[in-house]
Amino acid sequence: MSLVPMPSPLPVKNGVGPTRLRVPTSGPWATIAEYVVARFDHLDAGDLHRRFDAGEIVGADGSPIGRGTVLGAHQFVWYHRDLPAEDPVPFHEEILHVDDDLVVIDKPHFLPTTPGGRYLRESALVRLRTRLGNPDLTPIHRLDRATAGLVMFSARPATRGAYQSLFEKRQVTKVYEAVSALPPGWDPDAPALAGRAVPVVYRNHIAARRGELRVVVDGVREPNAETVVDVRAAGVSASGRAVLHTVLRPRTGRMHQLRVHLAALGVGILGDRWYPDLLPEAPDDHSLPLQLLARELEFTDPLSGTPRRFVTRRTLGEAPGSGS
């Protein structure tokens, strides 16, 4: 049974939704304001008190919480973050489809799907909310910031669940492309990955752990992630690299699944700084984005019953022959 999200008493502002903070019901703080000042001790206490006095911090019913409101009067408070200055992501999403219920975009590399970390305004969700004037836009699924390609957004709450259920029930056919360095000893007459003839059906158990960048592969537990990997082409890229171009059909949607599976097969994706090895943090290399592309989405529309298929207009720069 899925939990119903807690409704926010504050609207979306400048494309960014409000933040919810859980407040303890007891502790060494006499008021909610005292707790918030202690919780955010890296911020100016005077400015936080000003926000309480200005009514910018509210309870579940939308009523302002004053600096004298006692601890325990509210379990949650809501507020709008002060948005920091952000370096713009110099790549732009393309809208492929818009109707009353669904928006489909072609996301570029380096743009996150949703706000997070140092990216708030510079995310596909906030850009779209502002661009389309629709604060109700919500992603139905997500792509990593490093991955390019198709992302679907719900345009209104009334029909959101119908589209979300497609992914929950695995009723969406997804196709990806990736480019890797050509593995040593590649035989075009007998193509194989890690000694297994292609197409390869690769399965393992992937688990995401809070606070860790990479997922963990458990070799004991039953597989919960499955991908069909086929070879599209082998050759030389425009930059002169010997490469392998693969087509990926995930049957599940685990975090980093495709990156982990290709790395396990000995063909880690070009531009991947996390798999198979975690490399030191570095600025984005725009000359070599992660060579992973969400190419196709296909499903039966849950509202109209008609078939739908969306295809990216993007290509991978390191695909063999892409520069010709």
Side-chain angles (χ1 to χ4, degrees), residues 4-322:
V4 177
M6 184 179 295
S8 170
L10 293 176
V12 170
K13 182 180 179 182
N14 297 324
V16 180
T19 295
R20 185 185 73 185
L21 175 68
R22 181 188 289 272
V23 179
T25 56
S26 62
W29 314 278
T31 65
I32 290 176
E34 283 187 19
Y35 168 74
V36 170
V37 169
R39 171 71 172 76
F40 300 106
D41 59 0
H42 59 290
L43 300 178
D44 180 69
D47 187 60
L48 291 174
H49 284 138
R50 177 198 61 76
R51 297 196 66 181
F52 276 99
D53 294 341
E56 296 178 9
I57 299 173
V58 305
D61 60 355
S63 61
I65 295 174
R67 74 163 78 184
T69 302
V70 298
L71 193 73
H74 295 269
Q75 186 179 5
F76 295 96
V77 299
W78 278 262
Y79 59 93
H80 287 111
R81 287 169 287 183
D82 289 330
L83 301 183
E86 294 180 56
D87 293 330
V89 174
F91 308 102
H92 300 280
E93 70 285 353
E94 180 183 2
I95 297 176
L96 300 181
H97 173 86
V98 179
D99 63 34
D100 290 341
D101 302 290
L102 192 65
V103 175
V104 182
I105 69 164
D106 224 348
K107 188 185 81 66
H109 298 287
F110 305 111
L111 182 70
T113 301
T114 57
R118 65 183 186 273
Y119 299 98
L120 295 172
R121 283 182 290 246
E122 291 299 296
S123 63
L125 176 60
V126 173
R127 283 184 177 184
L128 285 172
R129 282 175 171 174
T130 303
R131 183 174 171 183
L132 297 177
N134 182 357
D136 290 328
L137 279 173
T138 300
I140 301 170
H141 64 117
R142 302 185 187 194
L143 290 183
D144 293 342
R145 185 175 79 88
T147 305
L150 302 176
V151 187
M152 290 169 44
F153 292 78
S154 163
R156 62 188 183 111
T159 57
R160 184 169 301 149
Y163 289 100
Q164 288 174 331
S165 68
L166 292 175
F167 287 88
E168 293 168 359
K169 297 175 181 178
R170 299 181 185 174
Q171 294 175 342
V172 178
T173 299
K174 296 175 285 186
V175 181
Y176 289 71
E177 294 181 18
V179 178
S180 310
L182 192 70
W186 177 258
D187 183 354
D189 296 321
L193 296 173
R196 300 164 64 175
V198 296
V200 174
V201 179
Y202 191 85
R203 303 181 183 92
N204 66 358
H205 189 99
I206 293 174
R209 294 180 180 174
R210 184 181 295 275
E212 295 191 15
L213 291 176
R214 306 200 304 168
V215 298
V216 176
V217 175
D218 190 325
V220 177
R221 299 176 67 182
E222 285 293 317
N224 64 356
E226 179 177 315
T227 306
V228 179
V229 182
D230 206 348
V231 171
R232 181 171 181 176
V236 178
S237 72
S239 64
R241 292 181 172 93
V243 294
L244 186 70
H245 191 182
T246 51
V247 177
L248 316 171
R249 292 179 171 84
R251 293 174 176 168
T252 55
R254 300 293 173 181
M255 179 178 174
H256 299 169
Q257 174 176 321
L258 302 179
R259 298 164 71 170
V260 168
H261 285 183
L262 285 184
L265 290 169
V267 283
I269 302 172
L270 285 175
D272 195 343
R273 300 188 61 82
W274 289 12
Y275 303 97
D277 300 312
L278 181 61
L279 302 180
E281 186 174 356
D284 289 337
D285 181 0
H286 293 166
S287 69
L288 183 61
L290 178 72
Q291 294 296 285
L292 181 60
L293 176 67
R295 188 180 80 186
E296 299 176 32
L297 290 171
E298 189 170 3
F299 57 93
T300 299
D301 191 280
L303 305 181
S304 66
T306 58
R308 283 193 161 183
R309 180 172 179 262
F310 299 99
V311 180
T312 183
R313 295 176 183 170
R314 300 181 185 274
T315 58
L316 293 172
E318 290 300 313
S322 62

